[in-house]
Amino acid sequence: EAGVAQSPRYKIIEKRQSVAFWCNPISGHATLYWYQQILGQGPKLLIQFQNNGVVDDSQLPKDRFSAERLKGVDSTLKIQPAKLEDSAVYLCASSLLSGYNEQFFGPGTRLTVL
Amino acid sequence: KQEVTQIPAALSVPEGENLVLNCSFTDSAIYNLQWFRQDPGKGLTSLLLIQSSQREQTSGRLNASLDKSSGRSTLYIAASQPGDSATYLCAVSLSNTGKLIFGQGTTLQVKP
């Protein structure tokens, strides 16, 4: 079974630039999550989708971050404009159903903002 | 507000030793608790999932326990190996939506 795919794996940008990350969840998984992991900390949920609807985006900085999940499959997370404090690993995860909560994580995208 | 704490932040042990990693959470009304492993530069690998009605789960050399009333979970690793070196994260879910609240992790080094 293929795992969660993410791209790119690494990205370096300058502050005020924009960046986008892509995630392809495990086939058939209805729920998709985006987490931000700052160095030395545990991941923090940014946004959760159930199919193509948003379940929780309470910790998403909506003035600069946006995310979408078209057709309930792939998802993109965008930052515009980026700040230095956005440097982190962005992890995508998926689960079959939100009620059965085992989440499967992708390898992450490491973002460095200079 | 739910907070998850893991102690110690780092641990170094000789190969073959049995060890325990600790996780505590402030709100006992959890849906489940999950232990993950994270290797450098990699994503998270799920190790064990304990539902709120369960007391423990076992997988190979790993055993995780859950005591909701005291807000604690432990991950027991038997006969540690150098390949066990990684960061171990625990996370709790407060509802069936699946949102996870993570601890900051324990970085384990097993020396040959």
Side-chain angles (χ1 to χ4, degrees), chain A residues 20-54:
Chain A
F21 313 127
W22 173 82
C23 172
N24 180 242
I26 293 173
S27 178
H29 280 197
T31 308
L32 185 147
Y33 312 81
W34 282 102
Y35 291 87
Q36 179 193 58
Q37 185 177 23
I38 293 173
L39 187 64
Q41 299 181 17
K44 179 184 78 173
L45 180 71
L46 292 176
I47 189 167
Q48 176 186 346
F49 292 95
Q50 178 82 13
N51 296 307
N52 59 354
V54 175

Side-chain angles (χ1 to χ4, degrees), chain B residues 82-97:
Chain B
D84 295 330
S85 298
T87 296
Y88 291 81
L89 294 150
C90 75
V92 299
S93 175
L94 299 181
S95 71
N96 65 354
T97 64

Side-chain angles (χ1 to χ4, degrees), chain B residues 17-33:
Chain B
E17 192 164 298
N18 301 325
L19 59 100
V20 174
L21 306 181
N22 296 295
C23 173
S24 62
F25 46 95
T26 55
D27 186 343
S28 63
I30 64 170
Y31 194 73
N32 60 46
L33 184 144

Side-chain angles (χ1 to χ4, degrees), chain B residues 64-90:
Chain B
S65 67
L66 174 63
D67 184 343
K68 275 181 47 178
S69 61
S70 66
R72 293 181 183 178
S73 176
T74 61
L75 179 66
Y76 174 83
I77 302 176
S80 59
Q81 303 170 357
D84 295 330
S85 298
T87 296
Y88 291 81
L89 294 150
C90 75

Side-chain angles (χ1 to χ4, degrees), chain B residues 49-65:
Chain B
L49 171 68
I50 310 177
Q51 300 293 349
S52 61
S53 58
Q54 298 175 320
R55 298 281 295 182
E56 65 177 339
Q57 283 285 343
T58 298
S59 175
R61 294 183 295 108
L62 305 180
N63 175 276
S65 67

